[in-house]
Short mmCIF file of all heavy atoms in Angstrom, two decimals:
data_model
loop_
_atom_site.label_atom_id
_atom_site.label_comp_id
_atom_site.label_asym_id
_atom_site.label_seq_id
_atom_site.Cartn_x
_atom_site.Cartn_y
_atom_site.Cartn_z
N GLY J 25 -280.62 -3.05 133.02
CA GLY J 25 -279.18 -2.90 133.07
C GLY J 25 -278.76 -1.45 133.29
O GLY J 25 -277.92 -1.16 134.16
N PHE J 26 -279.33 -0.54 132.51
CA PHE J 26 -278.99 0.88 132.66
C PHE J 26 -279.44 1.42 134.01
O PHE J 26 -278.73 2.21 134.65
CB PHE J 26 -279.60 1.71 131.53
CG PHE J 26 -278.96 1.48 130.20
CD1 PHE J 26 -279.70 1.04 129.12
CD2 PHE J 26 -277.60 1.69 130.02
CE1 PHE J 26 -279.10 0.82 127.89
CE2 PHE J 26 -276.99 1.48 128.80
CZ PHE J 26 -277.74 1.04 127.73
N PHE J 27 -280.62 1.03 134.45
CA PHE J 27 -281.13 1.50 135.74
C PHE J 27 -280.25 1.00 136.88
O PHE J 27 -279.94 1.75 137.81
CB PHE J 27 -282.57 1.02 135.92
CG PHE J 27 -283.26 1.61 137.11
CD1 PHE J 27 -283.76 2.90 137.06
CD2 PHE J 27 -283.40 0.87 138.27
CE1 PHE J 27 -284.40 3.44 138.16
CE2 PHE J 27 -284.04 1.41 139.37
CZ PHE J 27 -284.54 2.70 139.32
N ASP J 28 -279.82 -0.25 136.83
CA ASP J 28 -278.97 -0.83 137.86
C ASP J 28 -277.63 -0.10 137.95
O ASP J 28 -277.17 0.24 139.04
CB ASP J 28 -278.74 -2.32 137.58
CG ASP J 28 -278.02 -3.03 138.70
OD1 ASP J 28 -278.36 -2.78 139.87
OD2 ASP J 28 -277.12 -3.84 138.41
N VAL J 29 -277.02 0.16 136.81
CA VAL J 29 -275.75 0.88 136.79
C VAL J 29 -275.94 2.30 137.34
O VAL J 29 -275.13 2.78 138.14
CB VAL J 29 -275.17 0.91 135.36
CG1 VAL J 29 -274.01 1.88 135.26
CG2 VAL J 29 -274.72 -0.49 134.95
N GLY J 30 -276.99 2.96 136.92
CA GLY J 30 -277.25 4.33 137.38
C GLY J 30 -277.49 4.42 138.87
O GLY J 30 -276.95 5.29 139.55
N VAL J 31 -278.29 3.50 139.41
CA VAL J 31 -278.58 3.52 140.85
C VAL J 31 -277.32 3.18 141.65
O VAL J 31 -277.06 3.80 142.69
CB VAL J 31 -279.74 2.55 141.17
CG1 VAL J 31 -279.87 2.34 142.67
CG2 VAL J 31 -281.03 3.09 140.62
N ASN J 32 -276.53 2.23 141.19
CA ASN J 32 -275.29 1.89 141.89
C ASN J 32 -274.32 3.06 141.92
O ASN J 32 -273.69 3.34 142.94
CB ASN J 32 -274.62 0.67 141.26
CG ASN J 32 -275.25 -0.62 141.70
OD1 ASN J 32 -275.90 -0.68 142.74
ND2 ASN J 32 -275.07 -1.65 140.90
N LYS J 33 -274.18 3.76 140.79
CA LYS J 33 -273.29 4.93 140.76
C LYS J 33 -273.79 6.02 141.70
O LYS J 33 -273.01 6.64 142.42
CB LYS J 33 -273.16 5.46 139.34
CG LYS J 33 -272.30 4.59 138.46
CD LYS J 33 -272.08 5.25 137.13
CE LYS J 33 -271.31 4.33 136.23
NZ LYS J 33 -269.89 4.54 136.30
N TRP J 34 -275.10 6.27 141.69
CA TRP J 34 -275.66 7.28 142.57
C TRP J 34 -275.45 6.89 144.03
O TRP J 34 -275.05 7.72 144.84
CB TRP J 34 -277.15 7.47 142.30
CG TRP J 34 -277.79 8.38 143.29
CD1 TRP J 34 -277.80 9.74 143.26
CD2 TRP J 34 -278.47 8.00 144.49
NE1 TRP J 34 -278.46 10.23 144.36
CE2 TRP J 34 -278.87 9.18 145.13
CE3 TRP J 34 -278.76 6.79 145.08
CZ2 TRP J 34 -279.56 9.16 146.34
CZ3 TRP J 34 -279.45 6.78 146.27
CH2 TRP J 34 -279.84 7.95 146.88
N TYR J 35 -275.73 5.63 144.38
CA TYR J 35 -275.62 5.15 145.76
C TYR J 35 -274.17 5.25 146.26
O TYR J 35 -273.93 5.70 147.37
CB TYR J 35 -276.10 3.70 145.84
CG TYR J 35 -276.07 3.13 147.23
CD1 TYR J 35 -277.08 3.40 148.13
CD2 TYR J 35 -275.01 2.31 147.66
CE1 TYR J 35 -277.05 2.87 149.41
CE2 TYR J 35 -274.98 1.79 148.93
CZ TYR J 35 -276.00 2.07 149.80
OH TYR J 35 -275.96 1.55 151.07
N GLU J 36 -273.21 4.82 145.43
CA GLU J 36 -271.81 4.89 145.83
C GLU J 36 -271.34 6.33 145.96
O GLU J 36 -270.55 6.65 146.86
CB GLU J 36 -270.95 4.12 144.84
CG GLU J 36 -271.14 2.62 144.95
CD GLU J 36 -270.36 1.84 143.92
OE1 GLU J 36 -269.64 2.46 143.11
OE2 GLU J 36 -270.48 0.60 143.93
N ASN J 37 -271.81 7.23 145.11
CA ASN J 37 -271.44 8.64 145.20
C ASN J 37 -272.08 9.28 146.43
O ASN J 37 -271.45 10.08 147.12
CB ASN J 37 -271.86 9.37 143.93
CG ASN J 37 -271.31 10.77 143.87
OD1 ASN J 37 -270.24 11.05 144.39
ND2 ASN J 37 -272.04 11.65 143.23
N HIS J 38 -273.32 8.93 146.70
CA HIS J 38 -274.05 9.49 147.85
C HIS J 38 -273.47 9.02 149.18
O HIS J 38 -273.48 9.76 150.16
CB HIS J 38 -275.53 9.11 147.74
CG HIS J 38 -276.40 9.72 148.79
ND1 HIS J 38 -276.73 11.05 148.79
CD2 HIS J 38 -277.01 9.18 149.86
CE1 HIS J 38 -277.50 11.31 149.83
NE2 HIS J 38 -277.69 10.19 150.50
N ASN J 39 -272.95 7.81 149.23
CA ASN J 39 -272.42 7.22 150.47
C ASN J 39 -270.90 7.09 150.46
O ASN J 39 -270.35 6.23 151.13
CB ASN J 39 -273.05 5.84 150.69
CG ASN J 39 -274.51 5.95 150.99
OD1 ASN J 39 -274.91 6.62 151.92
ND2 ASN J 39 -275.32 5.30 150.18
N LYS J 40 -270.24 7.95 149.72
CA LYS J 40 -268.78 7.91 149.64
C LYS J 40 -268.17 8.12 151.03
O LYS J 40 -268.57 9.02 151.76
CB LYS J 40 -268.28 8.99 148.69
CG LYS J 40 -266.86 8.81 148.25
CD LYS J 40 -266.50 9.82 147.19
CE LYS J 40 -267.19 9.42 145.91
NZ LYS J 40 -266.83 10.25 144.78
N GLY J 41 -267.26 7.25 151.40
CA GLY J 41 -266.62 7.33 152.71
C GLY J 41 -267.29 6.49 153.77
O GLY J 41 -266.77 6.32 154.86
N LYS J 42 -268.46 5.95 153.47
CA LYS J 42 -269.20 5.14 154.44
C LYS J 42 -269.25 3.67 154.04
O LYS J 42 -269.64 2.84 154.84
CB LYS J 42 -270.64 5.64 154.55
CG LYS J 42 -270.78 7.07 154.97
CD LYS J 42 -272.25 7.45 154.94
CE LYS J 42 -272.43 8.94 154.97
NZ LYS J 42 -273.82 9.33 154.77
N LEU J 43 -268.90 3.36 152.80
CA LEU J 43 -269.01 2.00 152.31
C LEU J 43 -267.79 1.18 152.74
O LEU J 43 -266.73 1.71 153.03
CB LEU J 43 -269.12 2.00 150.78
CG LEU J 43 -270.33 2.74 150.23
CD1 LEU J 43 -270.27 2.79 148.71
CD2 LEU J 43 -271.61 2.07 150.67
N LYS J 45 -265.79 -0.69 151.04
CA LYS J 45 -264.62 -0.54 150.18
C LYS J 45 -263.84 0.74 150.52
O LYS J 45 -262.64 0.81 150.26
CB LYS J 45 -265.01 -0.56 148.71
CG LYS J 45 -265.82 0.62 148.27
CD LYS J 45 -266.14 0.52 146.80
CE LYS J 45 -266.84 1.77 146.35
NZ LYS J 45 -267.06 1.79 144.94
N ASP J 46 -264.50 1.73 151.12
CA ASP J 46 -263.83 2.97 151.48
C ASP J 46 -263.16 2.89 152.85
O ASP J 46 -262.14 3.54 153.08
CB ASP J 46 -264.82 4.13 151.48
CG ASP J 46 -265.43 4.37 150.11
OD1 ASP J 46 -264.75 4.09 149.10
OD2 ASP J 46 -266.58 4.84 150.05
#
Side-chain angles (χ1 to χ4, degrees):
F26 289 122
F27 189 78
D28 187 43
V29 169
V31 168
N32 279 338
K33 286 187 184 268
W34 174 83
Y35 182 81
E36 289 177 1
N37 189 31
H38 185 72
N39 292 303
K40 196 173 287 185
K42 301 176 196 173
L43 300 175
K45 67 179 185 174
D46 298 331

